[in-house]
Amino acid sequence: MSLVHEIDFGTPRSKSEKMVTLTIDGQSVSVPEGTSIMRAAMEMGTQIPKLCATDMVDAFGSCRLCLVEIEGRAGTPASCTTPAMDGLVVHTQNARLAALRKGVMELYISDHPLDCLTCAANGDCELQDMAGAVGLRDVRYGYDGENHVFAKSGPKHNHNSPEACENDHWMAKDESNPYFTYDPSKCIVCSRCVRACEEVQGTFALTISGRGFESRVSPGMSESFLDSECVSCGACVQACPTATLTEKAVIEIGQPEHSAVTTCAYCGVGCTFKAEMRGEELVRMVPYKDGKANRGHSCVKGRFAWGYANHKERILNPMIREKITDPWQEVSWDEAFNFAAKKFKGIQAKHGRDSIGGITSSRCTNEEVFVVQKLIRAGFGNNNVDTCARVCHSPTGYGLSSTFGTSAGTQDFDSVEDTDVVMIIGANPTDGHPVFASRLKKRLRAGAKLIVVDPRQTDIVRSAHIEAQHHLPLMPGTNVAVLTALAHVIVTEGLADETFIRERCDWSEFEDWAAFVAQPNHSPEATAIMTGVDPKELRAAARLFATGGNGAIYYGLGVTEHSQGSTTVIAIANLAMATGNIGRPGVGVNPLRGQNNVQGSCDMGSFPHELPGYRHISGDAVREQFEAMWNVKLNSEPGLRIPNMFDAATEGTFMGLYVQGEDILQSDPNTKHVVAALSAMECVIVHDLFLNETANYAHVFFPGSTFLEKNGTFTNAERRIQRVRKVMSPKNGLEDWEVTLGFAKALGYEMSYNHPSEIMDEIAALTPTFAGVSYAKLEEVGSVQWPCNEKQPLGTPIMHMDGFVRGKGKFMLTEYIATDERTGPRFPLLLTTGRILSQYNVGAQTRRTENVVWHEEDRLELHPHDAELRGIRDGDWVRLQSRAGETTLRALLTERMAPGVVYTTFHHPTTQANVITTEFSDWATNCPEYKVTAVQISPSNGPSEWQKEYDEQARQSRRIAMPVVEAAE
Amino acid sequence: MDTHTSTSPDRLIYMANQIGDFFNSQGHDHAVAGIAEHIKKFWDPRMRKKIFEHLDAGGAGLKPNVLEAIASLKK
Ligand code: SF4
Ligand code: SF4
Ligand code: SF4
Ligand code: FES
């Protein structure tokens, strides 16, 4: 193995379709118009020396190292800023250019430390490379003059010399960021970092302060990196050609020697990375330029937050216990499999075939999810399989399949580059889907318009060089009313796209729908009293969306996690169809998926009523195909969904649960009810990296493997199937799919696969939308978006291009029904929940990394007015109470919240935000209503009784018994 | 204290009515068919059994279209 090398073309690719032809060093080369001479040369294999150019940012032309001569033009223009043109004759090297370049390099090196041998960038430093490339052999200037190199300098030019004097130009290293350092003495002020932060990340945290010799890179207003606006995405570190910005892991370990391309295991953006290794040790993750979701960018989680794999709390041995009050016993894999199998068989013998089930993980690979649902359907003999997507995006599946015919978003991420009006509903992309947010912001800075529908003033509403045209701050729970009001304006003002609707949708259904939304009670003015949205703003937003060109809707959990979640998704689909915004680049309906493989786990048949590929279990033809392949009779009745499992457990008809890679206790609503359900079960198997909260109620623990330790595929929010590649051996001994196979075998249902690629082959054979997917194809083309089959062998970036999957697009009526979770005198405020950038989901992984420096605890955000009424100051402990329970956390006063609405995240188990949330759920899918809970808050002295009891129970439950005899191995 | 940990059949009645609320705007015939279809597609047999038992016991609390839909399913 060796490092995966990517060519740096020096300047970004031009998208022009017009080609120009020029001659470089006697060779003719054709490139798209707008390509720099530097890039044109690189495309034919000639690397012109360069320092300040790199292809992730626009050229700046400051270092003057990339000079060339062009026949018929005077001087020596910079090749990075000079565009290729028809007929140019360019020379990249001659005596004059060589002398000029040497002079430039000499100046750079004269103000640069010469500790190359011990420098962390040794072997990966472009300054070093360029010194070599231009043939620099000696530097005539010493450190006598002014320099930035040493803390002290003096007559002896010896920075160790005690009699040397202070050097005002020198700056100490900034090591405040947990993952990278900034060593100003090595900076060549090429501004690549500044441009990366602006153009790629869109945060504008860095500036070059001062001028000429005084100029320095500076985060914020001369702050440290940690105190600045910096979100630690690492783009600047990647852009830096020297050791100035360097990963701490590289400083500690050294340069990597081999790498493999793999996919981030955090969010649904699905960034691909080169995992750069030294032996089996991960040195760093570098975003992969060819990654079609991320195009070479990443966020702090994917790039840096992988330390959890080595965290001391990670469990590496299987464990069992009879009762949850017992300490855990470490056992061999076989003992654990047999113990679990015996329990599950016993439960079925006693309570019937349908008394056990399982939950698949949205964090595991497609192959792992597929074998778990196969184990349940074929091995357990029932359909009690569900996935945590239940609690986030199940309404997306229901809503989009009802209207369009597929349970997935319609676009690829590249599509945003062609969007003119972006509508974001109930999503906070800068925190939840950061790399997509960066791509979106780039488009917004280039002039696209933005509409935000969200109770909170999220960061995207106003950020560096971006301001939403319309922010509709609605009351939580009124999404349907707002969307129907938008439709009302579009229909009554004659803005609907009739041509599109006549051609692509069922016209009579449209007419019914149009008559429905046109009713006066759906107007913005009539609904304002419930929604709290200014009717004028709403009308303006509707007009902009309908008439502003390509309109794209992006939405998140603020849409789905409501009692009308499915209705809202349908309303979004209606809106897209009514405005003709479906079936081409730049438009569409795009759910932003939370976890990395939410899409994949849904595709793989994780729902109790659906076989892989979203086909209902009662369909005989499809079921028989599976029966033939699996050699077993399948149950044709839908099984239990997660909330139904809990109800059935408390009732005594559901007694055994296998949970793969999820922490249902922390992530599901109404913790007390979940605790009661888990305690009622006779055997709970948790398969995870850590003793998570659910494991406190488990009898068997199967240790899991990280994404670095296994092979497989993930499917991101754009339906893109990407490889996960094993770069180290599983520390727990088995890859997760092997664990499921071991358990299945102990149960008497053997599945024989030697490699996950064989599982994918089976998926492809059974699922028409995956028919063309194989590891060989992924090796060849990198990634594909399903449907991938004979008709679309390379996948489908944009869906519904020439007609909807279901035939005609279906308009459906969306009556607004207020949730029963209402405020009243006892619970006058509405609580809504969300997430932040540096933490992920229930935080099991991110809490075990340095990311905690950005988010040590969950805080309750509230408007100063609500706080003042209750005598609460910023930072005070407050008691948060709902009808379901109460918890305490500290207050954060902010005007982002409308008065009457409070907000918190749920990344830390001690917060127990879900003790508060209730069991109201989406009417169609039972997706819990996390986003609306009526609450009261009051000052408090500290953690509630329940929190204390809970902590004690957790502490007791996590005990692991000391081995009695050391096995003599 | 009300903790919302309502056990069936209350919870099932609540869920069934919620389904009804979505379909009701489509008019009686479509609504009854839609509700029945939805329950058939998504409810596990033990949940259906329980709601049928409740129907046999008079179906208190079920809204009219929902009651009709469940009755049609039971046939
Ligand atoms: S890490 Fe990202 S946000 Fe921070 S300064 Fe670098 S590019 Fe900007
Ligand atoms: S920190 Fe690195 S990228 Fe930024 S100006 Fe200095 S040398 Fe260039
Ligand atoms: S967490 Fe999401 S945005 Fe961040 S690197 Fe991973 S996939 Fe990309
Ligand atoms: S690389 Fe062209 S001026 Fe620096």
Side-chain angles (χ1 to χ4, degrees):
Chain A
M1 276 202 280
S2 58
L3 285 166
V4 176
H5 275 293
E6 291 179 283
I7 299 170
D8 182 354
F9 288 93
T11 60
R13 189 171 61 92
S14 160
K15 279 207 210 156
S16 172
E17 278 168 17
K18 189 170 167 235
M19 299 298 279
V20 295
T21 303
L22 69 168
T23 308
I24 302 178
D25 295 339
Q27 276 189 55
S28 165
V29 54
S30 296
V31 291
E33 190 172 31
T35 303
S36 67
I37 289 178
M38 174 181 280
R39 188 173 176 113
M42 197 64 216
E43 289 195 355
M44 56 175 242
T46 297
Q47 189 187 13
I48 300 172
K50 65 177 184 64
L51 278 172
C52 69
T54 183
D55 60 10
M56 68 195 271
V57 291
D58 287 338
F60 188 57
S62 67
C63 76
R64 308 290 300 157
L65 199 61
C66 66
L67 310 178
V68 290
E69 279 186 355
I70 301 175
E71 284 181 15
R73 282 200 202 173
T76 50
S79 63
C80 62
T81 48
T82 310
M85 279 190 271
D86 265 328
L88 289 187
V89 179
V90 179
H91 300 281
T92 70
Q93 176 77 0
N94 58 30
R96 176 183 175 212
L97 292 170
L100 283 170
R101 287 194 189 122
K102 260 190 211 172
V104 170
M105 274 315 288
E106 204 177 346
L107 276 171
Y108 271 115
I109 299 300
S110 70
D111 190 15
H112 195 87
L114 295 177
D115 60 352
C116 289
L117 277 181
T118 50
C119 176
N122 191 2
D124 182 30
C125 172
E126 293 182 39
L127 191 65
Q128 227 177 44
D129 296 348
M130 287 308 119
V134 306
L136 186 70
R137 295 295 169 253
D138 83 273
V139 175
R140 282 164 295 168
Y141 329 99
Y143 296 122
D144 294 345
E146 287 193 304
N147 68 71
H148 301 97
V149 177
F150 304 122
K152 295 164 187 261
S153 70
K156 293 194 178 69
H157 335 304
N158 179 348
H159 60 292
N160 292 321
S161 158
E163 67 265 45
C165 56
E166 297 287 331
N167 178 0
D168 293 341
H169 295 302
W170 182 83
M171 272 167 67
K173 260 190 177 184
D174 175 352
E175 301 192 316
S176 62
N177 183 291
Y179 299 117
F180 60 84
T181 63
Y182 168 51
D183 180 354
S185 73
K186 297 198 164 163
C187 180
I188 58 171
V189 204
C190 64
S191 86
R192 273 159 65 158
C193 53
V194 177
R195 284 174 284 149
C197 190
E198 292 175 1
E199 294 171 32
V200 180
Q201 165 58 25
T203 293
F204 294 75
L206 299 178
T207 48
I208 302 270
S209 65
R211 319 189 59 156
F213 188 74
E214 300 293 320
S215 46
R216 309 312 288 258
V217 170
S218 146
M221 315 292 286
S222 301
E223 293 157 297
S224 72
F225 270 84
L226 193 62
D227 295 329
S228 74
E229 296 275 284
C230 167
V231 295
S232 196
C233 70
C236 55
V237 181
Q238 188 182 341
C240 182
T242 65
T244 314
L245 290 164
T246 304
E247 295 91 347
K248 287 184 178 171
V250 171
I251 297 177
E252 211 180 287
I253 304 170
Q255 291 292 330
E257 40 77 32
H258 74 270
S259 60
V261 175
T262 193
T263 305
C264 178
Y266 278 118
C267 89
V269 175
C271 298
T272 48
F273 286 88
K274 293 179 289 182
E276 298 197 335
M277 312 292 298
R278 185 151 268 289
E280 284 208 303
E281 187 169 21
L282 180 58
V283 178
R284 67 177 166 194
M285 298 284 270
V286 182
Y288 189 48
K289 267 201 305 201
D290 278 346
K292 298 204 180 76
N294 56 318
R295 304 274 179 204
H297 189 38
S298 80
C299 82
V300 59
K301 294 188 285 279
R303 192 192 296 259
F304 293 125
W306 35 264
Y308 65 87
N310 296 317
H311 195 275
K312 61 180 190 320
E313 282 166 20
R314 181 164 168 204
I315 304 286
L316 301 176
N317 296 310
M319 304 191 296
I320 57 171
R321 60 183 171 190
E322 275 302 326
K323 297 195 301 296
I324 60 166
T325 46
D326 295 342
W328 286 104
Q329 301 284 339
E330 294 188 343
V331 293
S332 71
W333 275 110
D334 277 340
E335 281 172 90
F337 290 148
N338 290 330
F339 179 89
K342 203 169 140 227
K343 288 263 178 199
F344 267 38
K345 280 199 240 166
I347 294 172
Q348 277 190 316
K350 202 160 100 197
H351 301 278
R353 197 180 56 176
D354 295 340
S355 59
I356 59 173
I359 295 174
T360 66
S361 172
S362 302
R363 304 207 306 254
C364 285
T365 64
N366 288 320
E367 294 75 4
E368 285 160 352
V369 168
F370 183 85
V371 294
V372 170
Q373 64 90 33
K374 179 173 173 183
L375 165 68
I376 292 164
R377 298 189 202 279
F380 295 0
N382 62 45
N383 293 311
N384 293 329
V385 52
D386 205 355
T387 169
C388 74
R390 170 71 52 213
V391 304
C392 59
H393 264 293
S394 51
T396 291
Y398 183 86
L400 295 186
S401 61
S402 306
T403 47
F404 298 164
T406 40
S407 297
T410 61
Q411 311 297 113
D412 58 0
F413 287 139
D414 283 352
S415 159
V416 74
E417 291 170 17
D418 295 305
T419 300
D420 302 309
V421 185
V422 179
M423 185 177 323
I424 300 179
I425 310 177
N428 182 4
T430 45
D431 283 330
H433 302 85
V435 165
F436 169 69
S438 291
R439 300 187 63 180
L440 170 69
K441 284 193 198 166
K442 188 167 190 170
R443 179 70 199 128
L444 293 171
R445 287 196 304 274
K449 304 279 193 295
L450 175 65
I451 300 166
V452 176
V453 183
D454 202 293
R456 242 171 121 233
Q457 187 187 323
T458 50
D459 285 339
I460 195 93
V461 173
R462 189 171 298 128
S463 63
H465 304 275
I466 289 171
E467 171 128 33
Q469 272 61 37
H470 306 285
H471 173 215
L472 312 181
L474 74 178
M475 281 314 265
T478 60
N479 286 330
V480 171
V482 169
L483 284 161
T484 308
L486 287 168
H488 173 95
V489 177
I490 288 166
V491 166
T492 55
E493 298 190 5
L495 306 174
D497 184 344
E498 226 189 279
T499 332
F500 176 90
I501 300 163
R502 280 191 188 278
E503 195 184 312
R504 306 284 303 273
C505 306
D506 185 308
W507 182 254
S508 85
E509 280 165 355
F510 168 74
E511 284 184 315
D512 288 349
W513 175 81
F516 170 82
V517 299
Q519 289 165 15
N521 58 328
H522 293 137
S523 73
E525 292 73 19
T527 45
I529 183 155
M530 299 172 286
T531 63
V533 175
D534 175 2
K536 275 206 226 64
E537 275 297 300
L538 195 150
R539 280 190 184 271
R543 287 175 198 137
L544 173 61
F545 187 74
T547 61
N550 282 343
I553 302 176
Y554 292 86
Y555 71 89
L557 304 183
V559 158
T560 53
E561 289 176 347
H562 285 286
S563 60
Q564 281 202 291
S566 293
T567 318
T568 312
V569 174
I570 292 169
I572 288 172
N574 288 338
L575 204 60
M577 289 188 290
T579 50
N581 280 312
I582 286 286
R584 61 179 189 278
V587 300
V589 174
N590 306 277
L592 292 171
R593 306 275 182 170
Q595 307 204 60
N596 54 320
N597 203 30
V598 174
Q599 183 68 52
S601 70
C602 296
D603 301 342
M604 290 299 105
S606 290
F607 290 129
H609 63 284
E610 271 170 354
L611 287 162
Y614 305 99
R615 288 158 306 157
H616 202 272
I617 186 83
S618 63
D620 293 337
V622 174
R623 203 179 57 252
E624 278 158 18
Q625 251 186 311
F626 281 80
E627 289 176 341
M629 178 83 101
W630 295 351
N631 209 3
V632 52
K633 192 99 191 106
L634 297 177
N635 190 330
S636 63
E637 288 286 357
L640 293 169
R641 299 178 281 194
I642 293 174
N644 314 141
M645 288 180 190
F646 294 151
D647 291 341
T650 10
E651 221 175 74
T653 62
F654 187 79
M655 292 285 116
L657 183 65
Y658 169 32
V659 191
Q660 176 199 37
E662 286 301 338
D663 197 357
I664 47 175
L665 178 53
Q666 205 191 334
S667 63
D668 283 45
N670 197 342
T671 310
K672 285 184 181 173
H673 181 48
V674 182
V675 164
L678 289 172
S679 316
M681 290 188 213
E682 289 172 15
C683 182
V684 175
I685 305 171
V686 168
H687 179 177
D688 210 315
L689 297 173
F690 301 102
L691 279 177
N692 60 22
E693 305 304 305
T694 311
N696 296 342
Y697 296 87
H699 307 83
V700 180
F701 188 88
F702 294 154
S705 47
T706 71
F707 75 110
L708 297 165
E709 300 167 343
K710 59 195 181 191
N711 282 304
T713 57
F714 291 148
T715 308
N716 76 353
E718 356 149 73
R719 295 169 276 110
R720 187 182 300 286
I721 306 161
Q722 306 188 110
R723 274 301 309 276
V724 176
R725 290 188 174 85
K726 181 172 172 177
V727 291
M728 55 178 82
S729 332
K731 292 196 168 51
N732 57 326
L734 296 176
E735 299 180 34
D736 288 331
W737 59 276
E738 295 176 303
V739 173
T740 306
L741 259 52
F743 177 42
K745 189 172 170 198
L747 272 168
Y749 185 76
E750 200 156 345
M751 304 184 229
S752 49
Y753 306 106
N754 298 309
H755 189 271
S757 64
E758 297 171 11
I759 307 177
M760 182 51 86
D761 293 342
E762 183 171 322
I763 296 167
L766 287 168
T767 318
T769 41
F770 278 70
V773 183
S774 69
Y775 278 35
K777 166 142 336 146
L778 293 175
E779 209 59 54
E780 197 184 308
V781 300
S783 68
V784 290
Q785 289 173 271
W786 68 256
C788 172
N789 47 31
E790 231 161 66
K791 264 190 3 221
Q792 301 275 355
L794 292 179
T796 315
I798 293 176
M799 303 215 37
H800 317 295
M801 295 273 263
D802 326 290
F804 285 97
V805 169
R806 72 182 298 279
K808 291 276 184 193
K810 185 178 177 69
F811 280 91
M812 293 174 81
L813 306 192
T814 54
E815 186 77 72
Y816 168 64
I817 308 219
T819 167
D820 284 328
E821 181 65 19
R822 280 179 213 175
T823 54
R826 270 176 66 215
F827 303 106
L829 301 168
L830 280 182
L831 167 75
T832 179
T833 59
R835 61 199 65 221
I836 59 144
L837 168 69
S838 58
Q839 300 290 329
Y840 170 70
N841 195 259
V842 295
Q845 289 125 303
T846 42
R847 268 187 287 116
R848 292 179 173 97
T849 69
E850 301 286 344
N851 276 24
V852 288
V853 303
W854 290 284
H855 187 76
E856 288 168 55
E857 57 178 340
D858 295 319
R859 300 276 288 261
L860 184 79
E861 291 187 20
L862 74 166
H863 191 273
H865 174 75
D866 288 328
E868 203 190 316
L869 271 180
R870 293 169 175 81
I872 292 165
R873 284 158 314 176
D874 195 56
D876 283 357
W877 282 97
V878 294
R879 189 159 75 126
L880 176 67
Q881 260 182 306
S882 75
R883 294 184 182 92
E886 65 174 71
T887 189
T888 53
L889 67 177
R890 293 199 306 130
L892 179 71
L893 272 44
T894 162
E895 309 217 339
R896 278 161 174 258
M897 305 307 307
V901 183
V902 299
Y903 168 88
T904 189
T905 50
F906 57 94
H907 299 300
H908 291 267
T910 42
T911 315
Q912 293 286 347
N914 281 328
V915 172
I916 302 301
T917 52
T918 66
E919 282 181 311
F920 287 118
S921 64
D922 174 46
W923 66 269
T925 66
N926 280 158
C927 177
E929 185 165 54
Y930 286 124
K931 298 291 178 184
V932 197
T933 313
V935 293
Q936 175 59 299
I937 53 178
S938 50
S940 144
N941 303 324
S944 71
E945 278 309 310
W946 158 262
Q947 277 168 303
K948 283 188 227 156
E949 269 169 44
Y950 183 91
D951 280 353
E952 178 55 19
Q953 196 279 340
R955 211 177 52 74
Q956 285 290 332
S957 178
R958 291 207 174 102
R959 286 169 305 150
I960 300 175
M962 282 305 190
V964 195
V965 235
E966 267 313 310
E969 277 178 73
Chain B
M1 188 175 142
D2 176 9
T3 60
H4 284 277
T5 53
S6 38
T7 44
S8 48
D10 290 2
R11 188 161 156 83
L12 295 179
I13 298 167
Y14 185 85
M15 281 165 55
N17 284 337
Q18 236 188 323
I19 296 168
D21 288 343
F22 176 78
F23 288 101
N24 281 343
S25 56
Q26 305 181 356
H28 172 270
D29 294 0
H30 278 122
V32 171
I35 298 163
E37 155 99 359
H38 191 90
I39 290 178
K40 181 160 179 267
K41 257 174 103 171
F42 295 102
W43 285 24
D44 147 273
R46 84 193 76 177
M47 294 161 70
R48 296 203 306 262
K49 189 166 153 254
K50 197 142 249 156
I51 203 79
F52 293 155
E53 283 165 17
H54 178 70
L55 181 78
D56 292 341
L62 290 170
K63 297 183 185 169
N65 284 347
V66 180
L67 196 95
E68 208 177 307
I70 294 172
S72 78
L73 255 189
K74 209 187 147 220
K75 275 185 218 139

